[in-house]
Amino acid sequence: GILHYPFGSGIHQRMFNGILHYSLVQTNEMPSVPLTPTPTASPTAVHSIAPSLSFVKESKLNKSFVASFEGGNGSYGVMFDVVALNDLVVRSIEFHTDLVQTMISVELWTRAGSFQGFENDQSSWTNITTSGVWAQGLNKGTSVSDDFPPVVMKAGETRSFYIALPTNNLRYT
């Protein structure tokens, strides 16, 4: 769905334009606690038997899902569902904008389950990053990676993501 910033009336039946970067992980490697983007100070309050983030990044299981970059329409944001076929860790997202070499603010939200029925309910979403990124322009991915915390998904899980800009320069199909 496409929304007015930050949450508001939406238009359904639209498609996210961008790239979702993720890593497949073995079931015995699935973290039991959320991974952090940088190492934590030692000792930590919570012991984890899960591999470190760098171990998972170094695996040969890094993948990308590339959606269309047709971008015939523009709006303030887009919500979309991801259904994990295998255990995975979402590493970063690139979105499509018509802005070129411009610093823009982007908000990235997530929630367990589908976005449908929750388009206007900000309290059911978790903001995972709000950051400034350099827009790359039409037909190129603008990356939200530096401040993107890994999002762990189990096989069969549905998770929604919402990318929001303060201007209507996000492109979608």
Side-chain angles (χ1 to χ4, degrees):
I2 304 302
L3 299 176
H4 297 285
Y5 181 81
F7 285 85
S9 61
I11 303 169
H12 293 283
Q13 305 304 321
R14 301 294 188 253
M15 186 170 63
F16 164 68
N17 283 194
I19 304 170
L20 183 82
H21 299 281
Y22 64 96
S23 297
L24 296 175
V25 293
Q26 302 300 318
T27 303
N28 63 349
E29 294 176 345
M30 283 300 283
S32 57
V33 296
L35 297 172
T36 57
T38 56
T40 54
S42 184
T44 60
V46 179
H47 174 71
S48 172
I49 58 170
S52 68
L53 180 59
S54 60
F55 173 82
V56 175
K57 274 189 170 179
E58 295 300 321
S59 76
K60 304 235 185 266
L61 302 174
N62 291 335
K63 308 268 184 199
S64 296
F65 171 78
V66 180
S68 169
F69 272 83
E70 289 180 28
N73 299 296
S75 188
Y76 293 87
V78 62
M79 290 181 178
F80 58 96
D81 291 341
V82 174
V83 179
L85 300 178
N86 298 292
D87 292 343
L88 60 88
V89 178
V90 178
R91 297 277 174 217
S92 66
I93 291 179
E94 296 180 37
F95 63 95
H96 190 193
T97 180
D98 58 3
L99 296 172
V100 180
Q101 294 303 313
T102 303
M103 178 62 75
I104 57 172
S105 177
V106 60
E107 293 181 23
L108 185 59
W109 300 74
T110 190
R111 72 174 307 278
S114 177
F115 72 88
Q116 294 183 7
F118 296 92
E119 297 90 340
N120 299 318
D121 184 5
Q122 185 171 351
S123 66
S124 69
W125 293 80
T126 301
N127 180 280
I128 56 175
T129 189
T130 298
S131 59
V133 297
W134 280 102
Q136 298 302 306
L138 292 173
N139 302 311
K140 297 179 182 174
T142 295
S143 182
V144 182
S145 61
D146 292 344
D147 297 323
F148 189 95
V151 178
V152 176
M153 295 180 66
K154 297 289 254 174
E157 177 183 348
T158 298
R159 176 160 288 280
S160 301
F161 291 91
Y162 173 33
I163 302 170
L165 304 180
T167 61
N168 65 348
N169 296 102
L170 189 130
R171 309 308 297 168
Y172 67 92
T173 304

